[in-house]
Amino acid sequence: MYRVAQKSDEKQLAELFSSVFGDSEEVAVNILSKFAGIENVFLAQDGDAIIASLCAVPVTLQGRKGAYYYGVCTRPDQRGKGVMSALMDFTRQQLAQRGWQFAVLIPASQSLFGFYQQRGFEKAFGLRRFERPIRRNLWAQADFDTVTAKGLEALRRQYAPDSVFLNNAGFILVLTDLYTLGGTIVSNQDGYGIYFKKDDTLEFVELFAEGDRAAEKLMEAARDKTGAERAVVTLGAQQNLFLGEGAPVDYGMIQFFGQPFDVQESYMRLMLDME
């Protein structure tokens, strides 16, 4: 049986989520109740046992309502039996009836791109990754860790308006997750970046600025704060910073519930998918 989850399913759903992904049941409940909302969780049931589930987290893209599939999981003894395929078909039908127009997701491994392609998804939201040295500049000015969840959403809307947007609860959980994992936000009037320090390298998982020099100044301020002399930068494939640098990287996928729309320039990143 396939159905929408209810509050009474929360404990069993959290146990399944925790067993598959390794997070605590407390974290799982937070994701189910706050990131998705229990009314946006879909499950497969065999008798009294929940054997598969997925969170259809509410998002918007270009003013359209859609879902971000997160926490897609199947009980180990049910894998390969078509349970998840059927659950995804059921979820699509239910969301389309609500008037939602698409679903996006981020495959957990390269091998899963083929799995989702067979189920109606296509690649989208590609990235570009490169390394570069960070010059020393004692005059580079920026603020650190002053951006709130609403502030992060506002920066996204300013620099990447054609983005997949979570709701406010989603942005709060994403920002909390980034800080918990050791992320830092550097920002000034010309842009912002989010980075993690790993030895002598700053890994910028997001970077937006008015131009190349403005982006460099953000990195230079981060170097002055951390002492790190190199950066690994990940940008959206269509961003105009540092054009010509880096190699393309597959990242997300999209499935349209009706008429497709153009997402070639669209951006998706930091959707509670950092490890």
Side-chain angles (χ1 to χ4, degrees):
M1 179 173 69
Y2 302 91
R3 61 178 177 85
V4 180
Q6 301 174 356
K7 182 67 176 177
S8 57
D9 299 313
E10 192 173 86
K11 178 174 173 54
Q12 200 177 157
L13 285 166
E15 290 173 349
L16 174 61
F17 189 102
S18 179
S19 68
V20 172
F21 298 110
D23 295 296
S24 69
E25 291 186 21
E26 181 181 1
V27 168
V29 168
N30 217 23
I31 288 169
L32 294 163
S33 63
K34 294 183 179 179
F35 192 52
I38 201 71
E39 70 279 6
N40 300 313
V41 178
F42 297 83
L43 61 85
Q45 187 172 353
D46 183 11
D48 293 330
I50 295 173
I51 58 176
S53 67
L54 68 82
C55 299
V57 181
V59 295
T60 58
L61 174 60
Q62 300 176 15
R64 298 171 170 88
K65 290 183 179 180
Y68 167 49
Y69 288 176
Y70 185 80
V72 179
C73 57
T74 307
R75 208 170 68 181
D77 63 341
Q78 297 296 319
R79 291 171 187 164
K81 297 183 178 181
V83 174
M84 183 51 67
S85 296
L87 178 57
M88 294 181 80
D89 287 343
F90 173 78
T91 301
R92 174 177 177 167
Q93 294 168 3
Q94 294 294 309
L95 296 179
Q97 289 176 12
R98 296 182 186 181
W100 295 19
Q101 299 182 51
F102 66 92
V104 297
L105 53 77
I106 302 166
S109 66
Q110 189 66 33
S111 63
L112 286 173
F113 278 91
F115 173 85
Y116 290 120
Q117 280 180 321
Q118 293 174 2
R119 285 148 188 84
F121 284 82
E122 56 189 77
K123 290 181 181 180
F125 319 110
L127 303 176
R128 177 164 52 95
R129 185 170 294 142
F130 56 91
E131 290 188 42
R132 59 169 24 233
I134 308 175
R135 295 189 305 180
R136 191 176 188 192
N137 178 3
L138 298 179
W139 302 104
Q141 298 294 314
D143 297 317
F144 292 87
D145 293 336
T146 60
V147 176
T148 63
K150 286 189 175 181
L152 180 59
E153 179 182 356
L155 287 168
R156 275 277 185 87
R157 293 193 183 277
Q158 177 182 352
Y159 289 102
D162 189 5
S163 287
V164 176
F165 284 98
L166 296 162
N167 58 24
N168 187 58
F171 272 106
I172 289 172
L173 282 178
V174 166
L175 197 60
T176 300
D177 187 55
L178 287 169
Y179 285 146
T180 299
L181 293 172
T184 298
I185 299 181
V186 55
S187 61
N188 60 24
Q189 70 277 10
D190 295 321
Y192 77 99
I194 303 174
Y195 68 84
F196 294 83
K197 185 178 185 297
K198 296 182 179 179
D199 300 322
D200 192 38
T201 299
L202 299 182
E203 183 175 342
F204 277 84
V205 295
E206 184 159 280
L207 181 62
F208 285 99
E210 295 293 345
D212 289 2
R213 187 65 195 117
E216 288 172 342
K217 287 182 178 179
L218 287 167
M219 290 189 283
E220 289 163 2
R223 169 180 167 157
D224 187 50
K225 180 179 177 64
T226 64
E229 298 179 357
R230 296 197 61 79
V232 174
V233 182
T234 300
L235 302 176
Q238 303 301 322
Q239 276 184 253
N240 59 8
L241 293 179
F242 307 116
L243 291 175
E245 294 189 40
V249 180
D250 290 334
Y251 180 62
M253 304 187 81
I254 189 166
Q255 180 185 58
F256 301 103
F257 295 165
Q259 182 66 33
F261 52 93
D262 186 6
V263 295
Q264 185 174 349
E265 303 289 329
S266 300
Y267 178 78
M268 181 170 69
R269 189 74 168 124
L270 305 182
M271 303 289 286
L272 210 64
D273 59 308
M274 303 300 295
E275 296 182 355

